[in-house]
Amino acid sequence: MQFENGRASGLPNIRYPHETTLALASGVTCVTTSAGAVLLNPPRSERLTRLTADQILALKALNVGAATVAELFGAKNACDMGALLDRLIAGGWLTVNVREEGKLLYSIQPFGQPAPRPGAPSQSVVMSKYAVLHRATEGFIVEHPLAWCDLCIYDPRLLVLLDGPSTSVSDLSPAVTSQFVEDLRWCGILAACGHEDSRFETVSWSAPDVWFHRRSTLGERIVTWERFGPTKWAKGRFPQPPARRANYSGEPIVLAVPDLTAKRSQDPSLTAVIEDRVSTRSFDDGVPISVEQLAELLYRTARTRSVQPVGEGEELLSRPYPSAGGLYELELYPVVRNVAGLEPGMYHYDSFDHVLRPLAAADPRAVSQLLKPASATLAGGAEPQVLVVIAARTGRIMWTYEQVSYALILKNVGVLMQTIYLAATAMGLGACAQGFSDTAGFVAATGVEELQECSVGSIIVGSRAKSRPPSRP
């Protein structure tokens, strides 16, 4: 790597302004001794041996903070210092902060081991479809979920280069703009034109899916539990959202409580239920599901069995299905079209009191908006007898978990859906999970703020049609 008016070896086409500073990457520490040094960023580590006294001094300086190449190496042996610098950068141990005329322009912030510097492009390059640009406290961050680093842009004049590397920025030096484009390629943010449209693997993955996958799992970017998982980051800053949501104003409809003792002896075996479970797409509107059957299904799958206080202002719950951290953020909203003994409309299932609370202010058009898309999965485009909308009071889980919150919500939805499937099968009812839900329709029907409670899934339940067998899966 080469710096203007600085000293570094290798890669003669890479030139940074002499004001550019280097710093240990986030999470990296360097332990120095008279015999050498160890770079640490758990679980990674690298031992440096046979260091000169000047190299050890430079490493100690990096431990203190960012410095220019001149400040780190001065007029010392350029060959030794350049070799050390190249090794640190190649190992992903250093952040490069590019400065010119006293202004911080952009920085390269590694979290993995850098890719080799690419050669001159043989064809035009464009911004990768996987690259994500978002606002940060001091600037913009461009990240690629499959890359080894993030690139932080502090000078907005550089943003136009993301759209087309051939664009010129008149008030920045050509050397800086050229180097910025080369760094975009090095960071994986720019890709060869058409490359990502030529392989099934890159065409099939969307940008949100790849970003969400990498952001909600452990890997190069996330290697410790410091800001990942059940950190309870909000404790002391915000109260934990209560386990029980505020009641809707509609007059509650008391539901019958099934005799679970009798069900233990009367139900088919678990093996039979699992093997007989299918997705039902034909229902019998002449003999619809009854309110007693709906009550039993809700009680067996989603009632709150107990509340457990844990610490000041914290509550955990117990329900028939497992949930991440015992937080139980999911709420059920039966949207009823044809249930014997129950008026059509949208209800909230109060799992604590085992009652249905009508959404008195529900917009009938919004309720219809929730029902109609479900017809796409039913035989003949029929509308469901009952569509159970699964909503998440996201704060319940986001108060505790970092980065994985939404991924956990979706896993909890899958667990609840399977529980409903199995209970419905045991009861002789039909069920068909939906691979989508209408989030806008849910907001319109309930009047809730989407960032507080949102639709995350839905499942159809009802009485099976006798004339047609259920379909698999």
Side-chain angles (χ1 to χ4, degrees):
M1 182 166 292
Q2 197 171 70
F3 289 79
E4 296 174 1
N5 302 320
R7 288 181 168 85
S9 67
L11 300 173
N13 293 325
I14 310 303
R15 302 188 66 88
Y16 290 107
H18 70 278
E19 298 173 56
T20 296
T21 61
L22 304 172
L24 291 178
S26 177
V28 175
T29 56
C30 181
V31 179
T32 58
T33 67
S34 58
V38 179
L39 296 162
L40 299 171
N41 189 12
R44 289 185 63 213
S45 66
E46 183 176 346
R47 184 177 297 276
L48 305 175
T49 58
R50 299 181 180 178
L51 297 177
T52 67
D54 289 337
Q55 287 176 327
I56 291 176
L57 286 176
L59 290 170
K60 288 181 176 180
L62 284 171
N63 254 339
V64 174
T68 66
V69 171
E71 290 169 339
L72 288 171
F73 303 147
K76 302 179 178 72
N77 187 293
C79 183
D80 288 345
M81 293 307 179
L84 175 62
L85 179 57
D86 288 343
R87 184 172 180 181
L88 295 177
I89 290 177
W93 301 109
L94 293 183
T95 291
V96 179
N97 303 301
V98 181
R99 296 175 175 272
E100 187 177 55
E101 296 181 355
K103 184 177 180 63
L104 178 59
L105 304 179
Y106 66 95
S107 65
I108 301 169
Q109 301 182 353
F111 49 80
Q113 190 160 346
R117 281 275 184 182
S122 58
Q123 60 190 102
S124 60
V125 291
V126 294
M127 187 172 177
S128 168
K129 74 170 189 175
Y130 297 129
V132 176
L133 172 69
H134 59 90
R135 196 75 169 85
T137 304
E138 298 178 351
F140 298 89
I141 295 180
V142 190
E143 61 178 86
H144 189 302
L146 302 180
W148 55 271
C149 68
D150 290 336
L151 192 142
C152 301
I153 300 174
Y154 304 102
D155 190 326
R157 293 176 295 177
L158 293 170
L159 293 174
V160 298
L161 297 172
L162 297 174
D163 186 49
S166 60
T167 306
S168 61
V169 183
S170 58
D171 50 350
L172 284 175
S173 71
V176 166
T177 57
S178 175
Q179 188 56 59
F180 178 69
V181 170
E182 288 304 306
D183 283 337
L184 289 175
R185 294 178 59 227
W186 185 34
C187 298
I189 294 163
L190 295 183
C193 189
H195 173 72
E196 292 173 334
D197 298 325
S198 62
R199 299 174 60 237
F200 169 76
E201 289 78 10
T202 50
V203 173
S204 59
W205 278 84
S206 70
D209 286 344
V210 177
W211 193 87
F212 176 55
H213 168 66
R214 278 300 184 99
R215 276 288 186 171
S216 59
T217 54
L218 292 170
E220 273 194 326
R221 179 183 291 277
I222 304 167
V223 296
T224 71
W225 296 92
E226 183 180 358
R227 299 294 302 274
F228 182 86
T231 61
K232 292 191 178 181
W233 65 272
K235 189 170 186 177
R237 294 178 58 189
F238 305 97
Q240 184 190 49
R244 182 169 186 163
R245 82 168 323 283
N247 290 338
Y248 287 95
S249 58
E251 188 66 26
I253 298 170
V254 178
L255 300 174
V257 176
D259 183 349
L260 294 186
T261 301
K263 297 297 177 185
R264 286 177 182 270
S265 60
Q266 296 169 359
D267 272 355
S269 69
L270 177 61
T271 299
V273 169
I274 291 175
E275 291 302 312
D276 292 344
R277 190 232 41 93
V278 291
S279 288
T280 302
R281 303 185 189 279
S282 297
F283 294 86
D284 187 353
D285 262 1
V287 185
I289 185 175
S290 68
V291 65
E292 291 80 13
Q293 288 174 308
L294 180 59
E296 179 180 334
L297 183 66
L298 294 171
Y299 188 86
R300 293 177 67 164
T301 60
R303 78 186 186 280
T304 295
R305 298 187 293 201
S306 64
V307 179
Q308 178 186 359
V310 287
E312 186 177 352
E314 294 184 53
E315 292 177 315
L316 301 181
L317 302 179
S318 172
R319 290 178 184 166
Y321 62 94
S323 177
L327 296 165
Y328 290 96
E329 76 287 353
L330 300 181
E331 302 283 341
L332 298 188
Y333 288 81
V335 182
V336 173
R337 183 187 65 85
N338 187 9
V339 172
L342 188 61
E343 289 294 319
M346 186 170 181
Y347 300 83
H348 171 249
Y349 176 58
D350 182 339
S351 67
F352 292 82
D353 294 342
H354 188 52
V355 300
L356 290 177
R357 298 185 184 275
L359 272 63
D363 182 344
R365 290 173 298 180
V367 174
S368 178
Q369 184 180 338
L370 291 171
L371 282 174
K372 285 183 178 178
S375 300
T377 58
L378 297 185
E383 291 192 349
Q385 294 176 9
V386 182
L387 176 71
V388 180
V389 177
I390 304 171
R393 294 174 54 230
T394 53
R396 275 293 293 170
I397 201 162
M398 290 179 176
W399 188 90
T400 295
Y401 288 93
E402 287 192 78
Q403 302 205 44
V404 296
S405 300
Y406 195 70
L408 291 176
I409 288 172
L410 298 183
K411 291 178 175 70
N412 290 340
V413 170
V415 169
L416 176 55
M417 282 183 171
Q418 175 71 339
T419 303
I420 293 173
Y421 259 124
L422 296 182
T425 302
M427 294 172 60
L429 297 173
C432 185
Q434 306 293 285
F436 53 85
S437 58
D438 190 329
T439 56
F442 178 79
V443 169
T446 60
V448 300
E449 182 183 343
E450 188 168 0
L451 294 184
Q452 291 183 351
E453 185 174 358
C454 57
S455 171
V456 288
S458 59
I459 185 169
I460 295 168
V461 295
S463 58
R464 290 178 173 176
K466 305 300 181 184
S467 58
R468 294 183 181 180
S471 64
R472 293 183 182 272

